[in-house]
Amino acid sequence: MYFTRDPRPGRRLPGALSKVGLDIFVDPRREGPGINRLSIDTSLVKYVEVDGEEFLYYKLPKITVALIKGTTADRKGNISFDNMFMSGDALSICQAVKANHGKVIVQVDQLVDTPSRPRNAIIPGCLVDAIVVTEPEERNEAYTALTGSFEIPYEEWDAWNEKIDTASEKPLKNSAAGNIIGRRAAKELRVDDIVNIGIGIPEMVSRHAKKNGMLDMVTLTVESGGIGGFPVSGEAFGAMIGAASVYDMANQFDLYNNGGLDICFMGALEVDKEGNVNAHRSDGAFAGIGGFANITAKTPTVVFCMTFNTKGLEVTQKKGVVSIQREGSVPKFMERVKSVSFSAKRAIANGQKVLYVTERCVFRLTPKGLKLIEAYPGVDVQKEIIERIPFEIEV
């Protein structure tokens, strides 16, 4: 998980101190890092205090083997990633492995005689033990565009996103509820904001930011290292169309962990009466949390994009009027979430602004819990909001 991003694993430190994770599931005072009784290990994460401040101490794993995918290797073994839209944490992983006297194996598409420009060599040859050359995978024009090998003008971002989404095995669903949520959430953007947008419904925010003209006035980021441009949806999530810069994932989390974002848009499976959010655990399944905890821990404005309920929900919107045709059978607002991915208590203490944007209304987090600050035209506040929440909300 991303909690061990800083310091870098290549430094051979035994662990890392972080405030990310306090008061959420990974905190040993709550559930701890184990997801079942077989995986419980109390040594992995510890609660500590340093100079009167709270931290979690994360034990860093000892990595001894790295399997990396690059594009080319030159005669000295230097690895470039020219035909890939990200390098992830390839360099940090290789440094960590070599610090532990392990082996680094890199798969590339081709060998070249002429060394790449030094700035283009992501992994130096001295860190590589073995190189495996394989035939490159076939890629259509849409995916080639993600590498930044040719410029995509701003006015063409939408068209390229559609091409990539069409080529994806799992294209993003363009639901009415998703459009309502994305359109309303996008109104929270401000000029010059640095932004992160999560996967799923939050992806609709970037589409509506493009439509309302805000996309060209903010800077979007993705966890994989992209800055600027238009985040790709579907199975290519993590890539950017028209990125201004792409650097290592570890550097991106330096930005996130230190509060470098202005606003983020995240998904949510459940929300409870305190405003806590579960974004990683559902009945019988554990999705993992990814960078969610890091992003939401320090960002001044956090916007959760979620349907009011799910499984069967049918919604329409005509001329701004929302009509709930059919309610979903699975509620998302409940007395207590199954597991805490986002701590409302911690957010209030940090002075963060937190919104919960649904297809029918918007809530804001207060020290007392949720406050209804907006109901959309056509929505019956009493029957379609208040009576469907199992706890009291401020109106």
Side-chain angles (χ1 to χ4, degrees):
M1 59 183 64
Y2 288 120
F3 302 136
T4 59
R5 291 287 179 203
D6 192 13
R8 304 290 190 276
R11 296 179 186 175
R12 292 195 70 184
L13 294 173
L17 286 179
S18 177
K19 287 184 175 291
V20 176
L22 287 168
D23 291 322
I24 67 172
F25 76 98
V26 75
D27 191 323
R29 296 171 299 174
R30 281 188 170 269
E31 299 174 44
I35 63 172
N36 56 40
R37 61 184 179 83
L38 296 177
S39 61
I40 293 173
D41 185 343
T42 56
S43 71
L44 293 176
V45 183
K46 296 179 180 179
Y47 171 83
V48 297
E49 291 188 14
V50 180
D51 291 336
E53 289 194 57
E54 296 179 300
F55 292 92
L56 292 184
Y57 173 80
Y58 294 94
K59 183 179 179 181
L60 296 177
K62 184 177 180 180
I63 307 172
T64 56
V65 177
L67 301 175
I68 305 293
K69 171 67 174 73
T71 300
T72 62
D74 65 24
R75 61 177 182 268
K76 295 182 178 180
N78 300 312
I79 309 297
S80 73
F81 288 70
D82 296 338
N83 294 337
M84 302 176 70
F85 57 76
M86 60 174 282
S87 60
D89 280 334
L91 177 58
S92 294
I93 291 169
C94 292
Q95 289 172 328
V97 168
K98 300 313 291 183
N100 292 316
H101 308 292
K103 299 295 183 183
V104 172
I105 303 168
V106 183
Q107 174 187 325
V108 297
D109 296 338
Q110 60 179 332
L111 300 176
V112 295
D113 291 326
T114 305
S116 176
R117 293 181 62 186
R119 287 292 296 175
N120 294 340
I122 303 298
I123 304 174
C126 62
L127 299 181
V128 178
D129 293 289
I131 295 170
V132 180
V133 183
T134 63
E135 284 291 322
E137 298 175 7
E138 267 193 53
R139 289 185 174 180
N140 58 37
E141 183 188 31
Y143 285 103
T144 303
L146 302 178
T147 66
S149 56
F150 58 90
E151 183 181 1
I152 302 175
Y154 174 76
E155 57 272 13
E156 295 180 15
W157 287 0
D158 266 344
W160 279 101
N161 190 61
E162 291 300 325
K163 288 183 182 181
I164 294 164
D165 201 32
T166 300
S168 172
E169 293 180 6
K170 297 179 180 179
L172 181 65
K173 294 180 180 179
N174 193 23
S175 68
N179 276 309
I180 295 169
I181 295 167
R183 186 181 300 110
R184 171 58 185 86
K187 292 181 180 179
E188 296 301 317
L189 290 168
R190 300 294 178 263
V191 174
D192 293 333
D193 274 353
I194 301 176
V195 188
N196 176 273
I197 294 177
I199 196 168
I201 291 178
E203 294 176 58
M204 300 303 294
V205 174
S206 55
R207 295 190 176 190
H208 285 281
K210 181 73 170 64
K211 291 179 181 179
N212 68 20
M214 280 299 296
L215 189 59
D216 199 30
M217 294 184 278
V218 301
T219 300
L220 302 188
T221 72
V222 292
E223 292 93 312
S224 56
I227 295 280
F230 189 93
V232 178
S233 58
E235 65 181 16
F237 182 81
M240 301 283 274
I241 297 171
S245 172
V246 180
Y247 48 53
D248 283 356
M249 192 184 300
N251 296 127
Q252 192 76 296
F253 277 84
D254 286 340
L255 176 74
Y256 296 161
N257 290 338
N258 290 293
L261 292 172
D262 295 297
I263 187 171
C264 65
F265 300 87
M266 298 283 114
L269 295 173
E270 300 172 335
V271 176
D272 67 20
K273 62 182 180 180
E274 295 177 7
N276 297 316
V277 172
N278 169 22
H280 71 277
R281 188 191 290 270
S282 58
D283 287 329
F286 185 90
I289 198 169
F292 178 100
N294 303 70
I295 293 166
T296 58
K298 282 289 189 72
T299 303
T301 300
V302 180
V303 181
F304 291 107
C305 302
M306 56 183 289
T307 54
F308 199 86
N309 47 50
T310 188
K311 198 171 183 180
L313 175 67
E314 294 180 8
V315 182
T316 60
Q317 185 180 43
K318 295 180 180 178
K319 296 182 179 181
V321 177
V322 173
S323 177
I324 310 298
Q325 303 291 323
R326 179 184 173 188
E327 293 286 1
S329 60
V330 178
K332 289 200 169 188
F333 291 90
M334 52 195 56
E335 281 281 335
R336 189 170 297 279
V337 295
K338 295 180 183 68
S339 189
V340 177
S341 313
F342 172 83
S343 167
K345 170 189 168 185
R346 186 66 53 173
I348 291 295
N350 291 341
Q352 292 169 281
K353 175 184 177 181
V354 182
L355 298 179
Y356 309 81
V357 178
T358 76
E359 80 289 343
R360 66 189 71 184
C361 62
V362 180
F363 299 101
R364 179 165 182 168
L365 178 65
T366 75
K368 296 180 180 179
L370 300 187
K371 179 178 180 179
L372 179 66
I373 62 170
E374 183 180 342
Y376 307 153
V379 174
D380 186 317
V381 174
Q382 183 63 35
K383 291 184 178 181
E384 296 176 325
I385 299 176
I386 295 176
E387 291 181 7
R388 291 191 168 273
I389 295 180
F391 53 83
E392 288 188 10
I393 59 171
E394 189 178 351
V395 180

